[in-house]
Structures are given as structure tokens and as C-alpha cells.
Amino acid sequence: MTERSVDRWLAQAARSPFPGGRVILLAVLFGVVLCALGGFLAWRSYQSRVEQAESRIATAAAEAARASEQFFSDRIAVLEVVTDMPVFDEPEPADLGPVLQALDGQDLGFDGGVGWADETGELVVSTSLDEVLLPFDLSGRDYATVVLESRLPFVGAARQSSSGSTVIPVAVPTFADNGELTGMLVAGIRSETLAQDIPALAPVSIDVRVVDRSGEMVLVNGAPPEVLGPPVNHDLLSEEPGTIVVGEGLRGDTGRIAAVERADSAGWVVVAEQSRALALQNARSRLIGELAVLAAFTLVTLGAALYAAQRLDDSHREMIRGARDLGAMEVLSERLSTATDTRSIAGAAIGVYREVFEAGAVVVGLVSKERAEMRVFVDASTGTAEYAVPVDQPSILSDALESDEPLVTDARTLAELYPDTEQIEADPDSGVIAGRFVGAEATGAIGIYLRKDFPPAEADLELFEAMAPMLGDPFGRAEVAERERHASRTFQDALLPQDSLGIDVPLQRAVRYQAAVGDVEVGGDWYDLWMIDDHRVGIVVGDVVGRGVVAAAAMGQLRSAVRAAVGAAMTPTDALGYVDALTRQITGSAGATVVLGVLDLRNGSVRLASAGHLPPLVVEKEGVRVLWDMSGTPLGFFPSGISRRGMALKLEPEDTLVLYSDGLIERRDEVIDEGIARAAKVLEQHSDHPVEALADAMLDQMAIPDNPDDVALVVVRPVTKPPRHFTGVVSLGEFDRLHASLVAWLEETRQPHAEETADRVEETVTTILGVAGGQQVQGDVMVEVDPDGERMSVVVEFRKRPGPPAGLERRILRAWGGGEVTTRGPRLSFVVD
């Protein structure tokens, strides 16, 4: 079955997005589109109003220029009509006086006075003309010169009298009947009265300024300035008619919008201008109002969408929670179904609870019927840790065992009792949920530490309460299987021999037995290593076909038969012949394979014989040699009366002989020869290791995941005294002998840091005794020292025997302050330098 995780369930639920999310998304999209469209339209409206403001200014300038042009055209027309009178054919002052008097006044707009000058420019007759404006000699005035020379009407530059009044002269030529120029008629128009006759020169909220042909500003909103003078910004005067300029006005004011036009008959430049801020104020006010209405409408729309989304999300959240709960329970069920023992079941439960509840730590307590203690499993930094506490010790788990409802409490009750949960820190916003589970064969409790969202929601408590009972039956089945496996291992260990050679024998050796993964039956692989006499050692590795009680019984009888045959002074080949004959009487022994060696410690000679077993491996100075000639026929199938073929070789000091069973090298995807070649390569790579380290390297690097077969391994190495490495194995109670041998070896080999090394080893083993206390703990202590220059690499291993107190290994590691737990027991490695 494909493994699933809670994340997958949540991902499946996430693929059905929250309906409320869609509503919110659509509302947001609608709001964005609405705001974008409304903002665009409002901006266009604002731009339009800006353009309208500019258009009003341009219209004001154009209207003022047009009205001024029309005004002066009308006044010139009036004067031209008057000059057509006969009195101007041969002008006489007496005759001209009444005519001029009729023109003077505001009715016709010539309130600045009227006069006539002859063709020389000398003023002949006038009415109320200011001598500053119209002296008796006009020949030097611009308008007189233009009219007399061009014989065309002309509007002159404004003049300011001594009284402060500003008059604009208008002159037209006079002719006799024969067309000869007789002079010119000059009329003055006061600028103060222009606003009355030309309203366009003083529009509302727009400034209109007029600059005459002399370059002086003569009118400001239809009124003359106090003093005639040129404008500050001359650049505007050179602009083309109809031009709109944003920047400085005629007076140099910044932030102005100005429009330029011309009244050509008067020689005027008309500039209409307004403050840009004032011009845009109304546009901004309208823009702000429109945006406010748009924002209000958008907010109302989003509010309605949020309300609808909330209602939809509530229902969808319930669906997601249901999917999460179902997914969590299915994932827990799947992982529990693939777990094979209590530790892996606890690890599976811890992993799922961590994922589902985002727990900072998870603790599982298991109480079996046969024990008065609780096995505690904790998700420590190094993996799932296990140790034991008394069942009646007060704790959150023991309280949960007595409660029908989940318990919710603070985090310290979890952290103080279970030190492997040291990542838990007391926090007001964190806490623990604990609940019990009950099965047919096991009862327990589980506690989880929540770093956040504490106290938990009702939905989380319901899920926790639903998941906890799922642990009861898997733990019960695992407990039953472990009891059966424990009985099987105990029987197997009883059949396999303990090291009886002693630490004084000049033979370093390491033995390993690794049971098949998950199998509760006794295997048929076996080994034996014993002293035949004072100087010979028997070495055997065998493999009985099948598993179970029959195979175990055959294995025990074959081992006894081999020992008896070798003890009767038989050679290995004769011994196997003797055992061959016995197979007819030993049930289940037919087809068994055996390799037997007898090592003479005096000279290192080895005599070998094989009954269909795998070839031994020999590590020599030249390399690794495979004894391919060692084969033969399995027991029970060799013809009677014929001796098996044997082999003799010599092991030099520090050479190594390795015997093994097929579980070490067999793979389903390769032939046996390839496995043997791999084993030889591993031996060659680690040939300089001490024998215990060499045996570990063989098992580690040749390991098969979920190996379905047992592995038996024997490594022996004859040594001279003193040996290059120190290796010793004794029972825990005989450690003093091993320590004495270690001290002697350190002194004899003159190793550096000898005293410190011996003290560290003694301290390490004393710690084991201290942890065990008064309990009847049985086991062996292995010490191995590998010198490397000034460094001493040391390994101390406590090899437990069947039935040690639960959690002893973890307690030893905590007392050591480090180390690891192997299949044989706790191990500590350190370096002295």
C-alpha cells in the first residue's frame, strides 16, 4: 500500500478551495475593476475639467482681444465718417471747433479729448486735450508719424497724463476733395472707461492684462495700473495667438495658466491668466467627491462579499476538518499496520500526531499485563527513545490511564518527568493533551505538547479522542509478538555458546548472530568456539534447513555431535564423517551445512573441513584469500565409507580467519560468488581494524534491508604477546580481570596515556554497574582499544543477556552522557589523546 501523509489529505482538501475564498476573490476582482474603471473615469473627468479651465482662460483671452478689436474698429469708423464732412476739405479752426466739440465726451467714447493737426503734425485746434498727451507739435509722436506717412488710421501707445489719467490716442488722416492730405483727426480714449465699453476686459475670476504696442502694460482687468510699465515675463509677448502656457504669468507669478491673443488694430497683446491651483480647485473637489462615492460603493460591495464568504467558509471549514480527521485516522491506521514492534508502532504514532497536531513533542506510555512498569517512548532528537518508569509514578500519562476523558494541562508535567522531551519549554500559550487507549493485550496513554493554539479547540480534542483508541490493538499485537520473539531469542541465546576461551588465550575473536528481521521463530544458523585442549581451538559455523523448534533441536544436537567428534581426537574431515552418520538419527539435520576448523595456537596451523558450506575467508598480509576449494556436500547426502576432503593452512600472527553463514552474503539479485567477492572487499578495506570493529564493519556494510535470513559470523585472529590491539570480553562480574589485562597490555606496549585510558574504561564500566544497581543484570562487557600514534580509540560495549529491565540501555546512555544502542546493547566510543 502506498504510504500517505496528512499533508496529502490536506492537499486534497485544498484542491477544493474555500467557496468564501472564491467570493472574496471575485469581490476583490470586481472592486479592483470597479476602482480601476471608476478611477480612470474620474481621472478623465478631472482631465476634462482641467482642459475646460484652460479653455475658459483661452476663451476669455480671445473674447477680450475680439471685443477690443471691435471697439477700436468702431471708433476708427466713427472718426473716418467725420473726416468725410466738407469742413475738412479746407479746414478752418473756426469751422472745426463745433465738429470737434460734438465728438468730445463719453457718448462716442472719445472722453480723452479731440484735436486736429495739419499735414506738418502741428496741432491746430483741440478740445480738453492734455498738453502732455497731445502737445502742439505732434510730429514726434509715433501715431502722428505713422498716420501722416501711411495715410492710414492708427491706434497709438497709451500715455499717462500728469493727473495720472491714461489716454489711448486714435488718429485718422483727413483729405481734401482732390485727395490731398490735409492733416489728421486725433481722439483720446481714457482707459478707465474701457471696462464699461468692453466687459470682456474684466471677466469674473480670470485676470486679463493688456500690453500695448510700446510694450507697457496698460490694462489690468479693464483698469489702468497706477504706473505704466513693462511686464516681468516678456516671453509671453512673443507667443503665437491662441497659445496656452503653464508657468509664469505676465507679472512673474508662478503656477499660472495663461492664454495669449492679439488685437491687431490696437496693437495690443491680450493675456488672460489664472492661478493654476484656483483653476484646478473645482476639478479636484469634483474628483475627490467622485472618488469618495466610488470608495463607499466598493466598501459596501466588499463588505457584502465578506459576509457571504464568512458564511461559506464556515461550512467549508467543517468539510475540511472532516477530511483532515478522516485522513489523519487513515494515515495512522496505515502506518500502524506496517509497524512490526512496539517501538516502530510508537514511532508511527508519534510521527502522525506530530503532523496532525503540529505537536512539539509526543510521549507514549505502554503498560502490559505482565509488567508493573510503564514503557515510555519519546520522540527524542536521536529517534524514538524508550525507557521505563513505575506505573504508579505520578505523571500526566498515569493520570490519563485513570480518566475517561482527555486531560488538558500545562507543559511542565510532561517536561519534568520525561527528560528526553527537553525541547519543551514552559510557556503560558502552550500545554499538553493526554488520553488513554485500551486494547486486548495492552493499555497505555499518549500525551502531546502543543507549542501554540493552547488550549486546543473542541474539534482538535474530538480528533485526539478519536485517534487514541486506535493504538490499543496494534500495541497489543506487538506485545504478543514481542513476547514470542523474546522467548525465541532467549531459546536461541541459550543454544548459542558464551565465550569460554578466557582473556589469556592468544586469540582475538569476535562472534555475531543476527536474527532474521521480523521473525519470531528460532533460526537454524549457529556457531561454536571452544577450547578443545590446552592449545587447540574448535571453530564451527553451520546452517540447519528450516526454522522453528525442529531446526533448533537439530542445531543443538549437531553442535554437541561436532564437539564430541573433535574431542575424540578426530580430524575435521573424520568429525564431519561421524556427524554425517548421525544425521539419520537427528530429525531435521539432513541438508545442513557446516564448516569446521581446528586451530593450533602453538603454530597457527588450521585444519578445515566443509559439508557444503560457504568458503571461509582469510585475511593475510598479501590480501584477502577465498578458500574456494572448501565446498563438499551437505550433511546427510555424502556417501558412507568415503572421507570428506579437508584443507590445511597456517595463520601468521595478525592474520584473520572469517567463517560465516549465507545470510551475510546472499542477495536475490546476484549470484553467491558476487556476495563472497563483496565480503572479501570489505575485509580488505578494514583488515587493520581490531576483530570486534572488523565484525561490525562486515555486518554494517554487508547488511541487507529487512534481511529474511539469519546471519552467523565468527572472526578469529591469532596474535603474539603483546598484540597490536587489545580486545577482551568478560562477564560483567569479572570485569576486574579484564581491567587487569588491559593495564598490563598498556604497560607492556608502552602506550601513551595508559593510566588515563585505563581509568576511563573503569569509569565507564562502573557507570553500568551503578545504573544496574541492585538488579540482577546479566551480561558481558567488551573492551577494545585501537592505538594510533598518540591517540587511543576505545570502545566499551555492554552486551545484555535475555531479560534485562526495560529502558536499561537508555539509562546507561544518559549516565554516560552519550553513546549509542546497538542490537547487542549500549556502546560508548571515545578517544584518549
Side-chain angles (χ1 to χ4, degrees):
M1 181 179 295
T2 303
E3 181 180 352
R4 300 180 184 174
S5 67
V6 176
D7 291 338
R8 176 182 171 187
W9 281 93
L10 294 179
Q12 289 176 343
R15 282 198 289 269
S16 174
F18 284 94
R22 290 181 177 177
V23 173
I24 293 175
L25 179 60
L26 291 176
V28 169
L29 290 176
F30 176 74
V32 170
V33 172
L34 181 63
C35 289
L37 180 60
F40 174 76
L41 294 177
W43 178 251
R44 289 295 300 163
S45 176
Y46 172 77
Q47 290 287 77
S48 176
R49 292 189 183 95
V50 172
E51 293 172 359
Q52 290 174 8
E54 294 176 350
S55 177
R56 284 196 302 273
I57 295 171
T59 300
E63 182 61 21
R66 186 199 63 76
S68 299
E69 183 79 13
Q70 184 65 44
F71 176 83
F72 283 104
S73 296
D74 292 346
R75 297 305 175 268
I76 290 172
V78 169
L79 293 177
E80 286 180 336
V81 169
V82 171
T83 60
D84 287 339
M85 296 176 66
V87 69
F88 289 99
D89 291 340
E90 296 180 1
E92 293 292 337
D95 297 331
L96 292 176
V99 175
L100 299 181
Q101 205 60 43
L103 289 174
D104 190 8
Q106 293 186 0
D107 294 339
L108 295 178
F110 303 115
D111 53 354
V114 183
W116 182 81
D118 61 16
E119 69 274 12
T120 64
E122 183 178 347
L123 186 65
V124 177
V125 60
S126 65
T127 63
S128 65
L129 284 174
D130 191 324
E131 291 184 359
V132 176
L133 301 175
L134 294 176
F136 290 106
D137 185 5
L138 299 177
S139 60
R141 296 301 173 97
D142 59 341
Y143 59 85
T145 302
V146 172
V147 171
L148 294 177
E149 289 181 358
S150 66
R151 299 187 178 190
L152 294 174
F154 189 75
V155 178
R159 295 290 176 174
Q160 195 167 29
S161 67
S162 57
S163 62
S165 177
T166 301
V167 176
I168 301 170
V170 180
V172 297
T174 60
F175 300 94
D177 288 340
N178 58 6
E180 292 183 1
L181 179 69
T182 59
M184 62 179 176
L185 183 61
V186 180
I189 301 174
R190 294 183 183 277
S191 59
E192 291 89 335
T193 61
L194 282 177
Q196 299 175 7
D197 296 325
I198 310 176
L201 292 176
V204 179
S205 73
I206 296 178
D207 297 330
V208 175
R209 296 183 171 99
V210 176
V211 179
D212 67 4
R213 64 177 72 254
S214 67
E216 294 185 336
M217 193 182 305
V218 297
L219 290 174
V220 178
N221 293 332
E226 293 181 1
V227 179
L228 294 181
V232 175
N233 185 6
H234 289 276
D235 293 339
L236 283 177
L237 304 180
S238 61
E239 296 289 347
E240 293 294 326
T243 301
I244 296 177
V245 178
V246 178
E248 290 187 357
L250 271 179
R251 291 180 175 178
D253 310 26
T254 59
R256 308 284 286 182
I257 302 176
V260 181
E261 290 289 348
R262 297 184 185 276
D264 292 331
S265 61
W268 282 3
V269 176
V270 179
V271 179
E273 61 180 67
Q274 188 179 38
S275 168
R276 189 172 186 273
L278 180 63
L280 301 183
Q281 181 177 3
N282 182 51
R284 288 199 188 97
S285 299
R286 293 290 297 275
L287 176 63
I288 292 172
E290 291 170 353
L291 291 177
V293 172
L294 177 62
F297 181 74
T298 303
L299 288 175
V300 170
T301 302
L302 290 177
L306 287 173
Y307 175 77
Q310 184 63 44
R311 297 297 300 272
L312 287 172
D313 284 350
D314 289 342
S315 60
H316 194 71
R317 195 167 286 108
E318 288 296 320
M319 183 184 72
I320 292 295
R321 187 174 69 85
R324 182 202 67 166
D325 294 354
L326 290 175
M329 289 188 286
E330 181 171 340
V331 170
L332 180 60
S333 177
E334 287 183 356
R335 294 189 184 177
L336 292 177
S337 66
T338 58
T340 58
D341 54 24
T342 52
R343 183 185 290 264
S344 61
I345 290 174
I350 287 170
V352 173
Y353 273 84
R354 265 190 176 276
E355 290 180 37
V356 174
F357 297 98
E358 298 182 2
V362 182
V363 176
V364 179
L366 182 63
V367 179
S368 62
K369 294 180 178 180
E370 288 78 11
R371 295 178 180 174
E373 60 186 7
M374 179 186 295
R375 297 172 64 189
V376 178
F377 301 91
V378 180
D379 56 334
S381 57
T382 57
T384 303
E386 177 186 355
Y387 50 92
V389 297
V391 175
D392 55 359
Q393 177 179 329
S395 69
I396 183 65
L397 294 186
S398 60
D399 291 343
L401 287 173
E402 305 299 326
S403 176
D404 294 332
E405 302 291 334
L407 302 181
V408 180
T409 183
D410 61 83
R412 285 174 294 181
T413 56
L414 188 64
E416 292 171 354
L417 290 174
Y418 309 118
D420 280 301
T421 60
E422 56 192 12
Q423 69 268 37
I424 296 177
E425 299 177 0
D427 191 307
D429 298 326
S430 64
V432 174
I433 310 174
R436 71 174 181 178
F437 54 86
V438 178
E441 297 291 336
T443 302
I446 184 168
I448 62 173
Y449 165 63
L450 302 178
R451 289 194 182 96
K452 57 183 181 178
D453 299 330
F454 188 85
E458 186 65 28
D460 290 333
L461 280 175
E462 292 176 359
L463 177 59
F464 180 88
E465 193 172 7
M467 291 175 62
M470 298 176 63
L471 303 178
D473 288 340
F475 270 121
R477 290 192 296 270
E479 280 272 287
V480 172
E482 284 188 357
R483 287 197 295 270
E484 294 176 353
R485 192 177 296 113
H486 178 72
S488 174
R489 296 292 181 262
T490 302
F491 184 38
Q492 186 91 51
D493 290 341
L495 294 176
L496 295 175
Q498 303 298 321
D499 191 323
S500 60
L501 272 61
I503 60 175
D504 298 325
V505 175
L507 180 70
Q508 293 184 346
R509 63 274 184 193
V511 294
R512 297 289 187 269
Y513 179 83
Q514 183 173 285
V517 175
D519 207 319
V520 299
E521 291 190 301
V522 180
D525 290 19
W526 55 284
Y527 66 85
D528 201 0
L529 189 65
W530 78 100
M531 292 296 300
I532 301 172
D533 51 36
D534 292 341
H535 56 271
R536 290 189 306 156
V537 177
I539 310 167
V540 178
V541 170
D543 186 0
V544 175
V545 178
R547 310 187 65 79
V549 176
V550 174
M555 176 184 68
Q557 293 180 72
L558 288 177
R559 187 186 70 178
S560 300
V562 170
R563 277 201 177 200
V566 174
M570 293 184 182
T571 63
T573 54
D574 292 339
L576 290 186
Y578 170 74
V579 175
D580 250 327
L582 290 178
T583 56
R584 300 180 179 86
Q585 304 173 24
I586 301 175
T587 303
S589 63
T593 63
V594 178
V595 60
L596 168 63
V598 175
L599 169 63
D600 193 328
L601 297 175
R602 294 171 298 183
N603 54 22
S605 63
V606 181
R607 302 181 68 182
L608 293 166
S610 176
H613 204 78
L614 297 170
L617 303 173
V618 180
V619 182
E620 301 170 324
K621 291 181 180 179
E622 295 78 12
V624 178
R625 183 156 56 106
V626 181
L627 304 183
W628 293 108
D629 292 338
M630 297 296 298
S631 57
T633 305
L635 296 176
F637 297 98
F638 194 78
S640 60
I642 301 176
S643 297
R644 291 179 178 271
R645 187 175 61 177
M647 183 177 184
L649 59 93
K650 182 176 182 180
L651 293 178
E652 299 294 339
E654 302 297 335
D655 287 352
T656 306
L657 175 65
V658 179
L659 307 182
Y660 54 93
S661 63
D662 56 0
L664 180 71
I665 54 93
E666 280 189 345
R667 300 288 190 278
R668 294 180 180 178
D669 56 349
E670 66 182 15
V671 297
I672 290 180
D673 290 2
E674 293 176 354
I676 295 173
R678 283 191 297 106
K681 184 175 182 181
V682 172
L683 281 175
E684 187 172 6
Q685 293 172 346
H686 301 84
S687 60
D688 60 339
H689 283 30
V691 291
E692 291 284 349
L694 182 59
D696 287 339
M698 290 288 290
L699 288 182
D700 292 341
Q701 298 193 25
M702 297 294 293
I704 305 173
D706 299 329
N707 194 347
D709 201 357
D710 300 339
V711 176
L713 175 67
V714 175
V715 179
V716 295
R717 177 182 293 167
V719 293
T720 58
K721 287 198 173 186
R724 185 160 56 98
H725 307 102
F726 179 85
T727 301
V729 180
V730 297
S731 64
L732 186 59
E734 296 180 341
F735 170 69
D736 290 343
R737 290 182 55 207
L738 186 147
H739 186 260
S741 296
L742 172 62
V743 172
W745 177 80
L746 290 170
E747 293 176 351
E748 193 173 359
T749 56
R750 298 181 180 181
Q751 297 293 344
H753 316 293
E755 184 176 355
E756 183 181 356
T757 301
D759 291 345
R760 284 286 304 274
V761 171
E762 184 177 22
E763 178 185 349
T764 302
V765 177
T766 302
T767 300
I768 300 174
L769 293 170
V771 172
Q775 304 177 71
Q776 297 299 317
V777 178
Q778 293 185 346
D780 295 332
V781 175
M782 185 280 293
V783 176
E784 190 163 66
V785 182
D786 183 9
D788 183 12
E790 294 295 317
R791 293 165 50 92
M792 305 289 286
S793 298
V794 182
V795 177
V796 178
E797 184 176 86
F798 173 57
R799 296 177 175 175
K800 61 183 181 179
R801 292 180 185 171
L808 177 63
E809 296 95 335
R810 287 288 172 181
R811 292 201 297 274
I812 291 175
L813 291 187
R814 282 198 296 273
W816 281 345
E820 61 179 328
V821 176
T822 70
T823 56
R824 296 175 299 282
R827 167 191 286 189
L828 180 66
S829 301
F830 56 88
V831 174
V832 180
D833 54 13

